[in-house]
Amino acid sequence: MIAAFMVAVAFGAMLVHQRVTDVEKWMLLIVLLFGGCGYLGLVLANSYFAFLSPSWLSGFWSTCTIIFITAAVVGYHPYYGFFGRKDVRIWASMLGLFFLTGALVNVWFSQILTFILLLIIFVIGLFAGFYLQNLLSLQWSRFRYLPFVPLVFLVFATAGKLL
């Protein structure tokens, strides 16, 4: 659940820099993608991939996070933002990150209840990240590397997850 919150805060903060379309549509798209891939990861990790230990899943999650950060840094455009261009690397690494985030969740009561709780935590993190990055961009608008702050947060979150 903490991994879902960390990923959501980073994605919410990255959505501040979308310049082309409505942010609400992007948030809904990301929540739907997370819902689908996260549920698939949740179901498969508790059935077919049950032989994998949580430490292996954390290692795969960290690897996928590093791949996503690299793809986001390479694919960033000042006008289009992180997700505006048709860059397959960003979308594939994002879907892999969502799948592994769902796979890291252990089923507590039932899969549906856990999935609903996971989605609620993701939406809260998405709005919190958007709000915090929006405040940062209003305070420090002259800072040129401000769009990459959520990626640095994701690096520290990944290092904390590995420890």
Side-chain angles (χ1 to χ4, degrees):
M1 294 289 178
I2 294 172
F5 185 75
M6 292 185 300
V7 168
V9 168
F11 276 95
M14 290 168 66
L15 284 176
V16 170
H17 303 286
Q18 293 300 113
R19 304 275 190 244
V20 179
T21 60
D22 298 329
V23 176
E24 296 86 12
K25 292 179 184 177
W26 282 101
M27 280 189 181
L28 182 64
L29 175 70
I30 288 179
V31 167
L32 289 175
L33 288 174
F34 178 78
C37 290
Y39 186 73
L40 187 65
L42 177 74
V43 169
L44 291 178
N46 291 310
S47 58
Y48 293 111
F49 297 137
F51 62 90
L52 288 174
S53 69
S55 60
W56 277 95
L57 286 175
S58 294
F60 291 146
W61 185 80
S62 301
T63 304
C64 194
T65 304
I66 299 300
I67 291 170
F68 173 76
I69 290 170
T70 305
V73 167
V74 170
Y76 176 72
H77 190 271
Y79 181 71
Y80 296 113
F82 288 98
F83 306 110
R85 297 186 323 178
K86 308 240 187 268
D87 195 1
V88 177
R89 295 174 295 183
I90 291 175
W91 291 99
S93 61
M94 180 176 70
L95 292 177
L97 186 63
F98 288 167
F99 176 81
L100 290 171
T101 301
L104 283 173
V105 175
N106 295 326
V107 175
W108 295 326
F109 302 112
S110 69
Q111 286 185 348
I112 300 298
L113 182 64
T114 305
F115 177 67
I116 290 172
L117 185 62
L118 183 69
L119 273 179
I120 290 171
I121 287 174
F122 187 80
V123 169
I124 289 170
L126 197 66
F127 282 117
F130 184 79
Y131 178 72
L132 291 174
Q133 186 72 12
N134 201 8
L135 282 177
L136 280 176
S137 65
L138 289 176
Q139 294 289 328
W140 297 331
S141 60
R142 293 177 286 159
F143 187 55
R144 192 172 87 179
Y145 297 108
L146 191 64
F148 300 112
V149 169
L151 300 175
V152 172
F153 169 75
L154 206 53
V155 166
F156 288 124
T158 303
K161 183 100 174 120
L162 284 176
L163 295 176

